[in-house]
Amino acid sequence: MGVSGTNAVYVWDLWVRLFHWGLAAAMALAWYSAEQGIAWQQVHAWSGYAVIVLLAFRLLWGLFGSETARFSQFLTGPRRVLNYLRHWRHGASHSIGHNPIGGWAVVVLLAVPFVQAASGLFATDEILFSGPLNPWVSSSTADALTSLHVQLFDLVLALVIVHVAAIGAYRLFRGDRLVKPMITGYKDSVSYQPRIAPAHRALALLAGVIAVFAALLAAASA
Amino acid sequence: MRERGGKLFSLLALSSAAVLAAGGATADRGAGGMSDEDKIEYRKAVYKVIGVNFKPMGAMVKGKIDYDPELFARNAQRVADVSEMALEGFRGGPHQGNTESLDAIWEEWADYRQGTERFQEQAQELASAAQGGAEWPQLKKQFIQVADTCKSCHDDYRED
């Protein structure tokens, strides 16, 4: 691990970063493939599976992963969130990982795409393609989940826009550079080095998630 | 002569107007006398028939079941035939009732008609190709073309 600044600290482990950019790529691909018509349906399905696997992994990493990845480290009560917001403009403090409002943003940015992707597993276009778990629900439930899958996309898009705008606002109004640390892992002006979880734990969790998801798909198609 | 010619002309004009009006009435009767609920039920039934016949072809295209040329050709013909029948169920809308049709259909009627025609053409082409013994990869490609016309219409005109 090279050090990229005078007092740069390694805050985002490889798994958080891979998850983040992987999720962005998988969601972009899911969006693109959904717009391309029937011939791209398989790409759409696989990009959706990737979203689910990534999110499930991130949930586990939020419980067992590196210090800055853990929900317990970055989820705080409403008072701290409000206090943080009140001094947002002039607040000099740099959070080690997610700040109090950013932590809750993470929850929303994980939860909404998860509902979006999971509902797709039950969806049907009533033409040619159905999600792998579609046979498990009644056709009225499938209809409702299909509507959810289609309509929730607008919310996902809005969240992405807010997310990117917030990153821009941090840069503009506070001079915080948030993108670079999410690429390199290193953040300047942080007071201490957070604990980084071992790689084999991440790989084991990822393998477990893939195995469970594959078993689910196999059970559905059996 | 001139006068008779003029008379003849107006007679002709009158009778053709009458024929046109009668034609219009017949066309209208195609869906005439139907309540809003009837129309909705009718068009849903048409699409249901299309959907049910489309499905086994889709299963073959996706490789879920073996390609059965006879069944494929039969169903392709059915879809092509029934594709001609949906539009009557949409005339004079929007209709009140349990429907997933969007008002945009009637706001952009010309485009909706075109979508229906595109669907009919592609479905007819699939049926002809299947009966003409086209190669399977060719048929699969044409099937996807048809499915895309379904999808693009649903994307624009059917409630999500």
Side-chain angles (χ1 to χ4, degrees):
Chain A
M1 292 176 210
V3 172
S4 74
T6 41
N7 55 349
V9 165
Y10 190 59
V11 290
W12 302 126
D13 67 25
L14 179 64
W15 311 102
V16 166
R17 287 176 289 141
L18 278 181
F19 159 79
H20 175 269
W21 297 111
L23 182 69
M27 285 172 64
L29 187 60
W31 178 12
Y32 179 79
S33 57
E35 300 289 327
Q36 299 309 306
I38 297 281
W40 282 74
Q41 190 60 41
Q42 285 305 327
V43 177
H44 185 69
W46 281 97
S47 51
Y49 300 164
V51 169
I52 288 177
V53 165
L54 285 166
L55 287 168
F57 165 77
R58 182 63 185 85
L59 182 70
L60 293 173
W61 204 238
L63 301 173
F64 308 114
S66 301
E67 187 174 338
T68 54
R70 294 198 183 198
F71 298 116
S72 59
Q73 190 266 345
F74 62 73
L75 293 185
T76 60
R79 185 164 309 163
R80 283 195 56 192
V81 173
L82 284 176
N83 205 38
Y84 175 81
L85 283 176
R86 205 169 297 134
H87 303 110
W88 184 79
R89 256 323 276 279
H90 308 289
S93 81
H94 292 268
S95 306
I96 290 154
H98 295 296
N99 63 55
I101 185 71
W104 286 104
V106 168
V107 171
V108 175
L109 288 167
L110 298 181
V112 175
F114 183 78
V115 175
Q116 164 75 351
S119 60
L121 296 175
F122 301 92
T124 172
D125 62 6
E126 288 193 82
I127 299 167
L128 191 55
F129 283 100
S130 298
L133 305 188
N134 173 268
W136 284 4
V137 296
S138 71
S139 72
S140 62
T141 306
D143 274 359
L145 290 172
T146 303
S147 298
L148 184 67
H149 185 63
V150 174
Q151 287 167 3
L152 208 56
F153 174 72
D154 291 346
L155 179 60
V156 171
L157 200 56
L159 288 175
V160 170
I161 290 169
V162 170
H163 178 53
V164 172
I167 306 282
Y170 272 89
R171 174 85 180 85
L172 211 59
F173 298 115
R174 289 176 41 116
D176 288 351
R177 296 168 170 273
L178 301 182
V179 178
K180 205 177 114 215
M182 193 46 82
I183 296 171
T184 64
Y186 287 91
K187 203 174 189 175
D188 292 332
S189 330
V190 171
S191 48
Y192 76 98
Q193 172 62 54
R195 260 181 308 104
I196 300 295
H200 63 79
R201 193 187 300 166
L203 291 172
L205 290 173
L206 189 60
V209 166
I210 292 173
V212 168
F213 188 66
L216 185 72
L217 294 191
S221 70
Chain B
M1 189 66 189
R2 230 168 182 237
E3 233 211 318
R4 276 184 66 192
K7 238 184 182 162
L8 193 69
F9 179 77
S10 35
L11 206 72
L12 258 172
L14 210 76
S15 52
S16 46
V19 167
L20 274 179
T26 338
D28 202 32
R29 205 175 299 132
M34 282 165 78
S35 68
D36 279 14
E37 263 310 334
D38 283 345
K39 287 195 186 173
I40 291 167
E41 242 174 72
Y42 168 80
R43 69 197 184 212
K44 279 168 130 176
V46 169
Y47 281 125
K48 186 83 191 167
V49 170
I50 290 173
V52 167
N53 283 283
F54 207 62
K55 208 166 186 175
M57 291 194 281
M60 290 180 210
V61 168
K62 288 190 286 182
K64 294 235 153 70
I65 57 174
D66 288 341
Y67 172 48
D68 173 346
E70 223 166 277
L71 183 71
F72 193 95
R74 187 199 71 176
N75 281 22
Q77 189 59 55
R78 285 180 175 176
V79 169
D81 289 341
V82 178
S83 73
E84 315 269 339
M85 296 168 68
L87 210 56
E88 278 108 304
F90 289 97
R91 291 233 162 81
H95 309 105
Q96 298 304 312
N98 181 14
T99 174
E100 293 181 338
S101 297
L102 297 177
D103 288 357
I105 291 172
W106 295 278
E107 285 152 15
E108 298 152 29
W109 182 250
D111 184 64
Y112 189 75
R113 253 187 105 115
Q114 242 174 40
T116 302
E117 279 158 16
R118 252 196 320 276
F119 166 46
Q120 289 166 356
E121 282 159 21
Q122 297 295 342
Q124 194 53 60
E125 205 165 306
L126 181 67
S128 310
Q131 266 135 45
E135 297 288 325
W136 181 225
Q138 199 57 38
L139 279 181
K140 282 203 276 196
K141 246 166 104 185
Q142 182 57 28
F143 179 87
I144 297 294
Q145 296 279 345
V146 180
D148 266 328
T149 66
C150 313
K151 187 172 179 338
S152 71
C153 183
H154 285 192
D155 284 351
D156 291 343
Y157 295 113
R158 188 178 173 215
E159 215 170 88
D160 293 324

